[in-house]
Amino acid sequence: MALDPSNGFAAADAVADLDNAALPLFDVLPVQLQFSIAADFVAGQAANNVLVIALSNGRILRIDLNRPEDIDDIDLPKKPSETGVIRRMFLDPTASHLLICTAHGENYYLHSQSRQPRPLARLRGVAVESVAWSPALPTSSTREILIGAADGNIYEAFIETSTEFYRKEDKYVKLLHKLPDGPITGLWADCLSGRPGSGGAGPKHHHQQQQQQQQQDVRRVLVATQSRLLHFVGRVGKGHDGSASIYSRLFEGEQPVVHELSKASAAAASMLVVSPDVQEAPRFRGDDEVPERAFAWLSSHGVYHGKLLVGGSSAELGNRVLAEAKLIPRAQLTSPESAARRQLSTEYIDAIALTQWHVVCLIGTRVVVANRLTGSIVYDQIILDPGEKAVGLCVDLQKNTFWLFTPKEIFEIVPHDEDRDIWKIMLQMQQFDAALQYAHTPAQKDAVAIASGDYLVSKGQHNEAAGVYGKSSKPFEEVALTFIDNDQPDALRKYLLTKLSAYKKTSVMQRVMIAAWLVEVFMAKLNSLDDTIVTGAELSDILNPKQTREQLDAVRSEFQDFVNKHKSDLDQKTVYDVISSHGREEELLYYANAVNDYNFVLSYWVQRERWSEALRVLKKQTDPEVFYRYSSVLMTHAATELVEVLMRQSNLNPRSLIPAMLEYDRNYKGPLAQNQAIRYLQHVVNQLGSADSAVHNTLVSIYASHPSKDESALLSYLESQGDEPKFDQDFALRLCIQNRRVLSCARIYTSIGQYVQAVNLALSHDEVELASIIADRPMSNPALRKKLWLAVAKKVISQRSGGSIKTAIEFLKHCDLLRIEDLIPFFPDFVVIDDFKEEICAALEDYGRNIDALRREMDESGRTAANIKVDIAALDRRYAIVEPGEKCYVCGLPLLSRQFFVFPCQHAFHSDCLGRRVLEQCGAAKARRIRDCQVQISKGLVSGEKREAMVAELDALVASACILCSDYAIRRINEPFIKEGEDMEEWAL
């Protein structure tokens, strides 16, 4: 976008293309009347969406624009011939109070709730030219109002509707001030404390009303005549109830600030107007700040306008208001062409009105609208017919509408987005903040930002320009080079930060590149400040070393905020390289922590052997891989602290930490009780209940390989494992043998059932007590137990020779399986029998008792054998009685019809029926032999003794047991009651 540097970097004409509004700023539209006009209009007023029109016949029409069909038609108490034609009307901003002034000096008051105008006796004969309504905008009464008369007098009045005949509406009328200037053409009063809006604010809370009453005692009054404008500021009295005048104190005690015109013409119209209430406050203002009104004073010289300032000292307020006010010359408004040619126009302005940004002028038959900031004409049209004179130009202050009354018609002056070009005007005036607030579209805001930035750069305010440029579309490289060429790294940093925040998330590449550049800029700035502090030099004429340190802290904090906010835009490798190249350790670690790159932080501290810092970082981790990666080096240098950390982590796999534990144990030279690897592994085994064989094997390995000869710790662990240990017993046994852990080896041998090896190992190391304990373990195997005790006895006897033989025998009495004859071979040949004579005698007596018991058993066995022989001999004489009608238990046919078998259980079967059943139920081998015998016997393949032997064999196979009550019947338990082909109904109950 092109810029014109000749006029303060304001946007050039190309900016006008940013507007796409086709409508003119103003339009004057005739109002379609819904009623017939009986007489000409002579006066009109508008307020709060209500129009009040006075007719030449003395009638008054009150029209509520919300209900235009409902028109109040009101007559004056007297005829126009008596009072004169209505000359003026004054309507307060709420449309509650109406003053009616006639040509003969008769003044009437009409309330909005009344249809009967009441005469104002105290104001009779006063030619009212202007009224200043109360800033509080009451509705029940006018409260204190100021009235300007044609003779230069200023009155204060209090008017309210009276329902009693003898009471007057005007409670008091007091003369406050008299000016020799002629008619009082304009009055305005407002509050400078609290500033209640003239737009009639909504209901307030009680305490707010009280506070407002306390703040309304400072007021401002503007008084306009044809030649002077007076600005009064001061406190007023307390009589708000109409009992006394309140403005007397102000006019008597304060001197006004006066703006006076020289050679003012009395023939020209004069009036004082103010801008309407602001419908929408500018966006940059606070919620509690009320925008300032504008005022305009019409005189023969033109339109004098400015802001009704409220801030600052009351004593200087009038001077400031009048000093900042400007004059739009009459010639510039009446005939712009002649003004350009420096020709004087003789045409006067009849009336004016103020909008938010423009001055509406009624000049003869034309309506001319000028921008009050620049004075340029934005609308100039002929509205009235030739020779026609307008009745009045009025403004609805609350609804922001503008009305033009003629004798026959009513026109509404309608603004269309009148602030659309304000941003350009503010830009030309170099009021960039205001221009930005009034810029509506992004293109307008961008133009303002670019122009503002260029202006700030031209003034050397690079830091301020950086923030503005960051929100504009000015080419990135152009702005960056501007700051680089001017050696403004701080401005460049601010610009890059602003630009980074302005880019969308989808602009990944731009965000990454700017973020990386910002890291470089931050590091350069921090190094520069550090160098300044180290050398003790001053950074500039402004900053001393203390301030330099404060700036260093501020920049470091700014960098940390940048990292936290934009870490997703930073490329890790690039950032590491940039910060490392500048040697910024603190910033490097801060970034790594911010992006949760704890591997980098840990490796950084480990490389520098800063174990406490590394452990401090490790405590915050939850990823098991981090612990596995750094456990070896940390176990070597900070084992106790690391184990404390590891014991608080429940998500670790102890198997992955075994290499670190073994490496630590290999270099550990202290006592076993202080071994941190054992401490951690015991925690895993006892507290975490680990069943991992690798963990248990590692613990056994550390116990077994320790140089101490004390096996108590290892034995305690082995005992705690019980008969189903978690460690590899073969591995543990090899380790214990290798490290000569005798007791532990014996304990392992015992647990795997190798009692012989356990006893032999114990005895080989003279551990007789341990061997005797092991020998008692196989209680279920007496033979093995006796064998083990014999080995122990041999060792004991060989150790206790001579006089100690008796002691050895007493020791061996612990086993009840050993006899004296088992021990005799182990005694030496020279042992005297007297040493164990008692034991031999006891053994012989025991043998005698055993022989007697065996003899009695033999006698019993002989008698039992004789009885059995008698029973066997009686078997040959056994018989069974078969009745003639008895049937076979298989086929049901008479038993005596053919060969049969009878069993001792009295069951009888035909031999062939029994054979079939036996074949069905017996095993395959037995069935095959039965068939072979039947075939050979039936076909005569054998004869003589062989046949008899085979017949006997067949009988033995077939008739070995009854098929109904022997094991044959038991094997048929799975057969169903109802066989295939049988009728199931036979089983029905």
Side-chain angles (χ1 to χ4, degrees):
M1 183 181 296
L3 298 172
D4 184 4
S6 64
N7 57 359
F9 295 97
D13 293 339
V15 179
D17 297 335
L18 298 174
D19 293 333
N20 56 4
L23 293 175
L25 287 176
F26 285 87
D27 201 359
V28 180
L29 303 175
V31 177
Q32 298 296 327
L33 301 178
Q34 303 295 325
F35 54 90
S36 59
I37 303 175
D40 290 345
F41 299 151
V42 294
Q45 283 291 313
N48 199 20
N49 237 13
V50 174
L51 293 182
V52 180
I53 306 169
L55 304 182
S56 59
N57 58 7
R59 301 180 67 184
I60 299 173
L61 302 179
R62 187 163 55 193
I63 306 170
D64 187 348
L65 296 179
N66 295 323
R67 301 187 304 275
E69 70 281 355
D70 187 9
I71 301 174
D72 290 337
D73 195 345
I74 302 168
D75 291 326
L76 290 179
K78 296 181 181 180
K79 296 180 180 180
S81 58
E82 300 177 17
T83 62
V85 179
I86 297 175
R87 185 175 61 90
R88 287 179 180 274
M89 289 192 301
F90 301 94
L91 184 64
D92 83 304
T94 66
S96 301
H97 311 285
L98 178 67
L99 290 184
I100 306 162
C101 307
T102 66
H104 294 170
E106 295 287 340
N107 298 309
Y108 295 90
Y109 168 73
L110 178 65
H111 193 270
S112 61
Q113 302 299 321
S114 173
R115 295 175 57 89
Q116 182 64 40
R118 303 298 295 270
L120 300 175
R122 291 187 174 91
L123 286 174
R124 179 172 296 174
V126 176
V128 179
E129 294 291 328
S130 57
V131 174
W133 299 100
S134 172
L137 299 182
T139 57
S140 60
S141 69
T142 63
R143 294 184 63 170
E144 62 282 346
I145 61 174
L146 297 176
I147 297 176
D151 57 1
N153 290 335
I154 301 175
Y155 300 93
E156 178 184 348
F158 193 108
I159 303 173
E160 65 181 358
T161 301
S162 175
T163 58
E164 300 177 6
F165 176 75
Y166 59 88
R167 292 188 63 181
K168 298 179 180 179
E169 277 70 19
D170 42 355
K171 296 181 66 173
Y172 68 83
V173 174
K174 179 178 177 59
L175 177 62
L176 298 176
H177 200 69
K178 181 175 178 60
L179 295 177
D181 302 30
I184 305 299
T185 58
L187 285 172
W188 170 259
D190 60 2
C191 292
L192 296 182
S193 299
R195 295 199 66 203
S198 62
K204 300 178 177 60
H205 295 293
H206 180 65
H207 70 278
Q208 291 177 329
Q209 292 176 341
Q210 290 180 341
Q211 184 179 10
Q212 180 174 313
Q213 292 292 340
Q214 295 172 0
Q215 293 176 342
Q216 285 182 353
D217 54 356
V218 178
R219 294 194 183 183
R220 180 227 325 265
V221 176
L222 284 180
V223 180
T225 66
Q226 289 180 328
S227 61
R228 289 197 300 171
L229 180 65
L230 293 79
H231 187 283
F232 289 88
V233 176
R235 293 185 177 274
V236 296
K238 300 293 185 181
H240 295 298
D241 56 353
S243 60
S245 169
I246 70 168
Y247 281 108
S248 299
R249 176 180 177 183
L250 173 64
F251 281 92
E252 292 173 359
E254 302 292 342
Q255 292 297 321
V257 178
V258 181
H259 176 73
E260 186 171 4
L261 299 177
S262 60
K263 298 180 181 180
S265 173
S270 176
M271 62 188 303
L272 177 67
V273 295
V274 295
S275 60
D277 297 344
V278 177
Q279 301 299 309
E280 294 182 2
R283 294 175 295 278
F284 64 90
R285 295 185 181 271
D287 294 339
D288 299 330
E289 186 179 357
V290 180
E292 294 164 335
R293 288 184 184 274
F295 74 93
W297 173 41
L298 173 62
S299 67
S300 60
H301 289 196
V303 177
Y304 185 71
H305 67 93
K307 286 186 177 181
L308 293 173
L309 305 174
V310 295
S313 170
S314 299
E316 298 296 327
L317 186 60
N319 292 327
R320 288 178 53 220
V321 169
L322 298 180
E324 294 183 13
K326 298 178 181 179
L327 176 69
I328 303 177
R330 174 170 57 90
Q332 184 176 338
L333 296 171
T334 56
S335 53
E337 295 81 4
S338 63
R341 294 193 300 269
R342 298 182 183 277
Q343 296 180 0
L344 184 62
S345 173
T346 59
E347 193 173 15
Y348 287 109
I349 302 172
D350 298 323
I352 63 171
L354 274 184
T355 68
Q356 292 296 332
W357 299 105
H358 294 83
V359 181
V360 181
C361 303
L362 179 61
I363 305 173
T365 60
R366 295 183 298 149
V367 173
V368 179
V369 182
N371 187 292
R372 65 179 175 85
L373 299 179
T374 62
S376 59
I377 305 300
V378 299
Y379 183 86
D380 186 353
Q381 293 291 332
I382 297 175
I383 303 301
L384 280 66
D385 296 331
E388 187 178 18
K389 185 174 179 61
V391 172
L393 181 65
C394 66
V395 181
D396 185 342
L397 293 179
Q398 288 193 355
K399 301 302 180 182
N400 217 332
T401 56
F402 311 93
W403 305 88
L404 173 63
F405 296 94
T406 69
K408 300 292 184 181
E409 291 183 283
I410 303 174
F411 295 90
E412 183 178 2
I413 303 172
V414 181
H416 298 290
D417 194 17
E418 65 167 319
D419 64 344
R420 70 178 73 157
D421 294 329
I422 298 302
W423 70 274
K424 287 191 287 187
I425 297 172
M426 295 295 183
L427 201 59
Q428 293 172 354
M429 298 169 64
Q430 296 182 357
Q431 297 180 12
F432 299 107
D433 290 339
L436 188 62
Q437 302 306 324
Y438 288 107
H440 298 309
T441 65
Q444 293 173 359
K445 294 180 180 180
D446 184 55
V448 174
I450 293 176
S452 175
D454 292 343
Y455 175 78
L456 291 170
V457 168
S458 69
K459 296 296 183 182
Q461 300 176 5
H462 295 90
N463 285 339
E464 292 79 0
V468 176
Y469 274 143
K471 300 176 182 178
S472 72
S473 64
K474 190 166 185 176
F476 176 84
E477 60 277 9
E478 184 178 339
V479 177
L481 288 173
T482 299
F483 293 136
I484 294 174
D485 293 342
N486 288 279
D487 191 21
Q488 295 292 328
D490 293 341
L492 176 62
R493 184 175 78 250
K494 183 177 180 180
Y495 171 70
L496 293 177
L497 284 170
T498 308
K499 203 68 179 174
L500 183 60
S501 300
Y503 273 116
K504 297 180 179 179
K505 292 293 184 181
T506 54
S507 304
V508 178
M509 183 57 67
Q510 291 88 337
R511 294 179 69 89
V512 170
M513 294 179 67
I514 292 176
W517 192 0
L518 272 167
V519 173
E520 172 69 30
V521 172
F522 270 115
M523 296 303 104
K525 180 66 176 179
L526 290 170
N527 277 343
S528 174
L529 294 171
D530 276 341
D531 293 343
T532 303
I533 293 173
V534 170
T535 58
E538 293 188 359
L539 184 63
S540 64
D541 296 336
I542 301 175
L543 299 179
N544 55 38
K546 179 181 178 181
Q547 292 172 325
T548 304
R549 284 189 291 272
E550 293 175 354
Q551 186 178 9
L552 176 65
D553 295 337
V555 174
R556 182 178 288 117
S557 177
E558 185 181 354
F559 170 75
Q560 294 173 357
D561 294 339
F562 159 73
V563 169
N564 292 328
K565 184 177 181 181
H566 298 287
K567 55 188 173 185
S568 60
D569 300 319
L570 293 169
D571 179 70
Q572 285 193 16
K573 185 178 184 305
T574 304
V575 175
Y576 286 148
D577 291 343
V578 171
I579 300 179
S580 299
S581 66
H582 287 271
R584 305 294 305 182
E585 175 184 288
E586 182 177 346
E587 284 71 28
L588 189 68
L589 294 175
Y590 186 87
Y591 169 73
N593 281 293
V595 298
N596 296 326
D597 188 3
Y598 296 110
N599 281 323
F600 179 87
V601 180
L602 282 169
S603 62
Y604 182 88
W605 292 125
V606 168
Q607 289 173 7
R608 286 153 182 79
E609 297 184 358
R610 302 277 291 275
W611 313 118
S612 59
E613 285 82 356
L615 286 168
R616 192 178 302 115
V617 176
L618 192 65
K619 289 177 182 178
K620 304 175 183 178
Q621 306 311 305
T622 56
D623 184 10
E625 292 299 328
V626 177
F627 292 90
Y628 304 152
R629 183 174 304 172
Y630 296 99
S631 59
S632 295
V633 63
L634 291 176
M635 275 298 293
T636 302
H637 297 91
T640 303
E641 294 80 1
L642 177 63
V643 169
E644 290 288 344
V645 175
L646 294 178
M647 289 170 63
R648 288 195 291 267
Q649 300 294 324
S650 59
N651 60 337
L652 300 179
N653 182 7
R655 179 188 286 260
S656 301
L657 296 170
I658 288 176
M661 301 299 162
L662 292 176
E663 177 66 20
Y664 163 81
D665 181 69
R666 187 173 64 85
N667 299 314
Y668 179 72
K669 304 301 181 183
L672 201 61
Q674 299 177 10
N675 189 304
Q676 297 302 313
I678 291 180
R679 180 186 172 205
Y680 176 70
L681 293 175
Q682 283 181 336
H683 169 78
V684 172
V685 171
N686 299 328
Q687 271 65 43
L688 302 182
S690 174
D692 191 349
S693 60
V695 174
H696 290 266
N697 289 341
T698 304
L699 188 56
V700 171
S701 174
I702 295 175
Y703 275 133
S705 59
H706 194 269
S708 172
K709 295 182 179 181
D710 185 11
E711 294 185 53
S712 58
L714 178 56
L715 282 173
S716 176
Y717 166 76
L718 296 176
E719 289 293 339
S720 67
Q721 292 297 299
D723 294 331
E724 296 182 1
K726 308 294 189 304
F727 58 87
D728 185 344
Q729 299 188 62
D730 292 337
F731 168 76
L733 187 61
R734 289 194 301 272
L735 276 176
C736 292
I737 293 174
Q738 180 181 350
N739 292 278
R740 301 181 63 82
R741 306 293 178 182
V742 179
L743 301 179
S744 300
C745 286
R747 176 67 184 80
I748 297 172
Y749 272 132
T750 303
S751 64
I752 62 177
Q754 301 294 328
Y755 300 107
V756 176
Q757 291 86 338
V759 170
N760 291 338
L761 181 64
L763 294 178
S764 65
H765 289 82
D766 297 331
E767 296 290 344
V768 177
E769 292 291 340
L770 176 62
S772 62
I773 294 172
I774 298 172
D776 265 336
R777 293 296 295 273
M779 297 299 295
S780 60
N781 191 345
L784 176 59
R785 184 167 169 238
K786 183 176 181 179
K787 179 180 179 182
L788 297 176
W789 272 104
L790 286 174
V792 174
K794 183 177 181 182
K795 182 66 176 179
V796 171
I797 293 173
S798 63
Q799 287 180 341
R800 293 172 170 84
S801 59
S804 61
I805 292 297
K806 196 172 186 64
T807 307
I809 293 176
E810 288 295 332
F811 174 79
L812 294 174
K813 286 182 180 180
H814 291 93
C815 179
D816 55 353
L817 299 179
L818 295 181
R819 298 289 183 266
I820 189 63
E821 63 271 22
D822 299 325
L823 303 178
I824 289 175
F826 302 142
F827 289 106
D829 295 340
F830 56 84
V831 174
V832 180
I833 196 170
D834 291 342
D835 293 334
F836 47 95
K837 178 174 61 177
E838 295 179 1
E839 285 72 17
I840 293 176
C841 291
L844 291 177
E845 291 176 357
D846 189 21
Y847 288 149
R849 287 192 296 273
N850 291 338
I851 291 171
D852 291 339
L854 289 174
R855 185 181 298 113
R856 288 193 296 272
E857 290 178 4
M858 291 174 63
D859 292 341
E860 287 292 332
S861 297
R863 287 193 293 270
T864 301
N867 292 332
I868 291 173
K869 289 179 180 179
V870 172
D871 292 340
I872 292 173
L875 287 175
D876 293 339
R877 296 189 294 274
R878 281 195 307 170
Y879 63 92
I881 300 174
V882 178
E883 299 293 334
E886 193 168 345
K887 299 179 180 180
C888 174
Y889 276 87
V890 175
C891 63
L893 297 176
L895 186 63
L896 298 176
S897 61
R898 57 183 182 273
Q899 187 179 1
F900 61 88
F901 288 95
V902 179
F903 291 93
C905 57
Q906 298 302 313
H907 292 139
F909 310 93
H910 290 133
S911 59
D912 54 345
C913 293
L914 181 62
R916 284 196 304 273
R917 287 294 182 89
V918 171
L919 284 174
E920 292 175 0
Q921 299 176 19
C922 68
K926 187 174 182 181
R928 188 184 306 110
R929 182 57 183 165
I930 291 173
R931 290 192 188 96
D932 290 343
C933 292
Q934 288 176 343
V935 170
Q936 291 184 26
I937 293 172
S938 61
K939 293 185 177 181
L941 298 179
V942 291
S943 61
E945 293 181 357
K946 287 185 178 181
R947 185 177 186 280
E948 292 177 359
M950 190 167 291
V951 170
E953 182 182 358
L954 180 59
D955 290 343
L957 290 172
V958 173
S960 60
C962 175
I963 61 174
L964 295 181
C965 53
S966 66
D967 57 343
Y968 287 111
I970 295 174
R971 287 197 296 269
R972 295 181 62 193
I973 191 170
N974 291 330
E975 291 183 7
F977 288 107
I978 305 173
K979 297 182 180 178
E980 187 177 356
E982 292 184 358
D983 186 8
M984 295 181 60
E985 295 298 331
E986 293 180 355
W987 290 84
L989 297 177

